[in-house]
Amino acid sequence: MRRLIYISSTRTPFTPDELDAILRISRRNNAAVGVTGLLVAGGRRFLQVLEGPDAAIDTVFERIKQDKRHHAVVVLSRSEITQASFGQWSMGYAHGGPAGGGATLPETVAELLAPITDPNVRGYFEGFAQVHAAA
């Protein structure tokens, strides 16, 4: 089983409806191949962790890299794991900026990460949330 964490930028900003459609399709596709994870958006940047079978992670990540809406896709971490940290989430999600609700991005990310013990995963997402809190 593998964990892959990457960051990318979008070529153009996504509308909430476009993002909802991407999440809906990603959740369906990820669930079908046993991939779980978390996506956090801040401005035009995405930070995502994918966890699952090696071949499925390779396929999902290759599809992401080929998506013309992304550029500057950079792998931050790739590691073998014995157990997924994100349970049954086909794709957990948090958005930065004034997207409604009362919680800030750092507060939302902290809540999502509460059960996660891996310090590297926590560090990437907490740092991203702090940088993009005002996005």
Side-chain angles (χ1 to χ4, degrees), residues 3-15:
R3 173 182 296 137
L4 181 122
I5 302 173
Y6 76 91
I7 193 164
S8 69
S9 297
T10 62
R11 295 191 185 277
T12 60
F14 286 123
T15 67

Side-chain angles (χ1 to χ4, degrees), residues 2-70:
R2 181 180 303 154
R3 173 182 296 137
L4 181 122
I5 302 173
Y6 76 91
I7 193 164
S8 69
S9 297
T10 62
R11 295 191 185 277
T12 60
F14 286 123
T15 67
D17 288 341
E18 289 170 324
L19 200 47
D20 285 345
I22 290 168
L23 287 167
R24 187 172 49 257
I25 292 166
S26 295
R27 286 173 173 149
R28 182 194 67 215
N29 292 344
N30 291 352
V33 296
V35 170
T36 61
L38 173 65
L39 172 68
V40 176
R44 290 175 53 179
R45 304 277 292 176
F46 290 111
L47 178 64
Q48 185 170 23
V49 60
L50 300 168
E51 297 177 329
D54 292 0
I57 294 298
D58 291 343
T59 300
V60 169
F61 189 57
E62 188 60 34
R63 186 172 48 240
I64 290 165
K65 290 189 308 184
Q66 297 302 318
D67 187 330
K68 299 296 184 202
R69 297 171 294 191
H70 286 274

Side-chain angles (χ1 to χ4, degrees), residues 95-111:
H95 188 277
T104 66
L105 181 61
E107 291 168 340
T108 301
V109 167
E111 183 178 332

Side-chain angles (χ1 to χ4, degrees), residues 3 83-86 112-123:
R3 173 182 296 137
Q83 181 177 338
S85 295
F86 294 96
L112 291 169
L113 293 177
I116 307 304
T117 59
D118 185 296
N120 292 324
V121 172
R122 294 183 67 84

